[in-house]
Amino acid sequence: MQRRNEISIGTLANRTGLAVSAIRYYETQGLVAPERNAGGQRRFLRSDIRRLSFVMIAQKFGFTLDRIREVLGRLPQSRTPTAKDWTEISQDFRAELDEQIQALTRLRDKLDGCIGCGCLSLDRCALYNPDDVAADKGAGPRYLMGDQAVRPED
Amino acid sequence: MQRRNEISIGTLANRTGLAVSAIRYYETQGLVAPERNAGGQRRFLRSDIRRLSFVMIAQKFGFTLDRIREVLGRLPQSRTPTAKDWTEISQDFRAELDEQIQALTRLRDKLDGCIGCGCLSLDRCALYNPDDVAADKGAGPRYLMGDQAVRPED
DNA sequence: ATAATTCCTAAAGTTAACTTTAGCTCAAGC
DNA sequence: GCTTGAGCTAAAGTTAACTTTAGGAATTAT
């Protein structure tokens, strides 16, 4: 007894290509918020197909689920998102993507400079500066090619 | 009693900015292979500073340690790598990097097309094809935006 | 009215890349 | 020569993003 606009987790899995277990996990992460029917089973909206598809695309671009949840937060909660809503967040998304690609490109160009110099002189080595591309959240400073000039024999 | 060309794990940590525990972990992963002194302590070569710096840079570009180990495998094992050796593997590395950037760019351009169409017609939706950018090793098919045309009301 | 699916929860397992902890041993400085 | 800082090992913990397992309950198909 699936009402017109409600779909089961299995149907959603088929439509998106995601595993049922992944969808349940996404619910725990606040990426979808299905209702429940009388028997306690999840009932998703058809619009969740698009929602999860967006999640998959964003992941393909390397975004974390946390970040994706933030982005999805910009969709209207009161009504089913329209094509226009999706277009809007996709555009913001595109902007971030452009930045990522540029950061990666800059880093690559720096590597070019480094190939030439062999990094024997850190003062001139562009890779020395730990900027660009998502600063790792990891502990401590992560500078590259040493913290002092690497001597020729190193 | 550190011989001229040998350095302790602490020194290596200071020179690279890595944590001592990370260096030990890298050893278990076959990224460095230090010798041991009489007392059982690790003795690295000065050239390992550069080796680990390379590891850090490659990671910044998103390479996994497994992949990095493969790349490092192309260095000569019989002697200390020269600047020329490093230049060579950096160039191969750059080629892979270029591919990655291009794949990301292609995917971004496809997103552009998708923003316009609102993905109401999958036949025309470029994101449909799950090519480009490292196919996930995860289980099962991961197609995007559904496996059938997403109807307007979805 | 069953049998076969599908779904549910809770908990544990998985991979990558490390860190933390515990309990000891070396090595270096005064 | 002894105290303290560095190092050592083995095992367990951590985060992200899921999957797998176990044991039931709800649906759907026949």
Side-chain angles (χ1 to χ4, degrees), chain B residues 20-38:
Chain B
V20 166
S21 60
I23 298 175
R24 289 204 192 99
Y25 175 71
Y26 288 162
E27 183 185 0
T28 72
Q29 300 307 296
L31 294 170
V32 264
E35 311 249 294
R36 300 296 178 119
N37 70 3

Side-chain angles (χ1 to χ4, degrees), chain A:
Chain A
M1 206 192 259
Q2 260 182 214
R3 268 183 286 172
R4 170 96 192 70
N5 207 33
E6 297 180 336
I7 59 179
S8 69
I9 195 168
T11 303
L12 183 55
N14 283 334
R15 294 295 296 275
T16 57
L18 285 167
V20 166
S21 61
I23 297 176
R24 290 203 192 100
Y25 174 71
Y26 288 163
E27 184 185 358
T28 72
Q29 300 307 295
L31 295 170
V32 265
E35 311 249 290
R36 299 298 178 118
N37 70 2
Q41 300 196 347
R42 293 172 180 80
R43 290 305 140 181
F44 295 84
L45 299 175
R46 286 189 173 282
S47 60
D48 286 331
I49 297 172
R50 192 184 296 277
R51 192 177 176 91
L52 291 192
S53 294
F54 180 82
V55 171
M56 294 169 80
I57 292 173
Q59 276 196 294
K60 230 180 176 177
F61 283 116
F63 286 76
T64 64
L65 294 185
D66 271 9
R67 188 77 197 77
I68 297 171
R69 186 183 43 240
E70 279 179 33
V71 176
L72 284 175
R74 298 210 288 269
L75 283 174
Q77 300 108 304
S78 49
R79 56 180 170 71
T80 300
T82 63
K84 186 158 178 290
D85 293 324
W86 285 114
T87 298
E88 280 171 18
I89 77 168
S90 290
Q91 267 157 2
D92 289 356
F93 185 59
R94 202 223 130 110
E96 286 193 49
L97 244 179
D98 280 344
E99 274 174 48
Q100 263 192 210
I101 291 175
Q102 277 169 35
L104 209 58
T105 305
R106 278 196 301 275
L107 196 55
R108 182 205 56 194
D109 291 344
K110 286 188 178 179
L111 180 65
D112 277 355
C114 227
I115 289 176
C117 74
C119 280
L120 299 180
S121 163
L122 261 189
D123 311 322
R124 271 164 283 148
C125 179
L127 278 169
Y128 175 73
N129 268 339
D131 53 5
D132 280 327
V133 181
D136 17 11
K137 320 93 197 285
R142 300 282 184 114
Y143 28 79
L144 298 171
M145 283 303 190
D147 59 346
Q148 314 168 31
V150 174
R151 284 172 296 173
E153 69 268 30
D154 284 345

